[in-house]
Amino acid sequence: MSDSPLSPEAPQPEVVFARPVETRPSAPPGHLPAGAVPARAVSATRAPAAESCLTLPGLPLRAAIVDFLLLLLVAAVALGLPGVVVGMWMAATGREPPDQPTFGMLMSQQLFQVILGVGLLYFLLWRRNLPACAFGVQLHKPGQQLLWGAAGLGLAYGWFIVTVIALGAVLMLFPELQSDLMKRQELIELLPDTFGRVVILMIPVAVSEEILFRGLMLPYLRRITGTWWLAVLISTLIFAVLHFNQGILGILQISGVAVVFAVVFIYSRSLLAAIVAHFAFDVAQMVLVLLTKD
């Protein structure tokens, strides 16, 4: 009797179990499955965040206005409080104010401004959970930041030379403005008369003013106004008004220099570059003053 396919003695065929095919509904065009990341988003996450630095895109407008008002308050305190405190102390002790502030008094005032500026910067970074680059604080490519600072120095001195020539022509037409220039001369005479002390004093000056007027003020004004040119214009006007004691001609010169520092800060996205340009410009100015003091 032949072996039947169903008889126990016959070899059994090998059985293969297949996994059922899962069918999914077709996704509409442009739809991605859950968990998938579009290629554009992947490239954006891998790209440097330079575009979002300084613009504060995720900060609500109301929060930006509140922070800006706080910034103005801190700037007013930083610039005005030391003089008030010294005046009150001298009035309480019966001492006469000195004809010329000492180097220690000048350094104390500038260091106070640096402490307030740095403290406010880090407070806002922490309070708003912002990246450090939001205010131009960068740790990478220091050489490139220094080059931007050197470029800022060159642009600032280019503006300075142009204004010196223009002011010379203005003074020939309006000799009565000579008294306006004497205001700056009087301020220069209050500075230390040695190169080393001038360099030391200019460090906190550059740091505090750039933190307040470029590092913090420009990004907030850009967020509030929506444009860089308005941000630069408003910050320059505020910076110039605070230098009213240098006269109208001095304000005109300072306004142009402030615009240069703002442009360097915006294009380099580096607070260090603006500080370097400011410091180098101030030191160079003081060196010229010391060389031509007599």
Side-chain angles (χ1 to χ4, degrees):
M1 180 177 177
S2 61
D3 295 334
S4 169
L6 300 178
S7 63
E9 296 80 7
Q12 298 299 318
E14 184 178 359
V15 180
V16 179
F17 296 92
R19 180 179 297 177
V21 178
E22 296 180 3
T23 59
R24 297 181 181 178
S26 59
H31 176 76
L32 292 175
V37 180
R40 183 181 301 176
V42 172
S43 61
T45 57
R46 293 178 180 175
E51 311 84 29
S52 62
C53 288
L54 307 188
T55 58
L56 310 178
L59 186 66
L61 181 59
R62 173 178 287 185
I65 295 175
V66 171
D67 290 352
F68 180 72
L69 294 177
L70 175 62
L71 170 60
L72 292 180
L73 176 62
V74 171
V77 171
L79 296 174
L81 185 60
V84 173
V85 171
V86 171
M88 293 176 61
W89 177 76
M90 289 186 174
T93 57
R95 298 186 179 184
E96 293 292 331
D99 296 333
Q100 182 172 347
T102 64
F103 177 73
M105 294 173 60
L106 294 174
M107 279 297 299
S108 298
Q109 180 178 0
Q110 296 303 323
L111 290 177
F112 175 72
Q113 294 177 10
V114 170
I115 292 172
L116 283 185
V118 173
L120 179 61
L121 186 149
Y122 280 96
F123 170 76
L124 293 173
L125 289 176
W126 167 78
R127 178 69 178 84
R128 302 302 182 188
N129 195 24
L130 297 170
C133 67
F135 301 136
V137 179
Q138 301 184 30
L139 298 179
H140 65 287
K141 297 182 179 178
Q144 182 175 341
Q145 297 181 60
L146 293 177
L147 287 177
W148 271 106
L153 173 62
L155 291 173
Y157 250 97
W159 166 258
F160 181 76
I161 293 173
V162 170
T163 56
V164 166
I165 297 174
L167 290 179
V170 170
L171 291 176
M172 291 180 63
L173 297 175
F174 305 98
E176 62 273 13
L177 292 178
Q178 287 282 356
S179 59
D180 193 76
L181 285 181
M182 294 303 297
K183 295 180 180 180
R184 173 174 288 190
Q185 181 64 28
E186 293 172 358
L187 291 174
I188 291 174
E189 292 177 353
L190 299 178
L191 296 174
D193 55 357
T194 62
F195 177 75
R197 289 189 172 187
V198 166
V199 171
I200 294 174
L201 182 62
M202 291 302 110
I203 294 176
V205 168
V207 172
S208 61
E209 291 188 354
E210 291 309 310
I211 288 178
L212 292 174
F213 295 101
R214 256 67 68 178
L216 292 174
M217 190 171 290
L218 280 175
Y220 277 114
L221 285 174
R222 169 62 175 79
R223 178 67 185 89
I224 294 171
T225 64
T227 59
W228 277 120
W229 72 268
L230 268 178
V232 173
L233 176 62
I234 296 173
S235 66
T236 299
L237 289 176
I238 295 174
F239 188 74
V241 167
L242 293 175
H243 290 77
F244 67 93
N245 53 352
Q246 298 195 24
I248 297 176
L249 299 181
I251 288 177
L252 292 176
Q253 284 187 320
I254 290 174
S255 297
V257 174
V259 170
V260 170
F261 295 157
V263 170
V264 169
F265 175 72
I266 293 170
Y267 278 92
S268 67
R269 292 181 169 85
S270 168
L271 181 59
L272 176 62
I275 291 175
V276 169
H278 192 150
F279 169 74
F281 180 81
D282 285 350
V283 170
Q285 288 285 93
M286 293 303 102
V287 168
L288 289 178
V289 169
L290 292 176
L291 291 177
T292 60
K293 191 172 183 178
D294 294 339

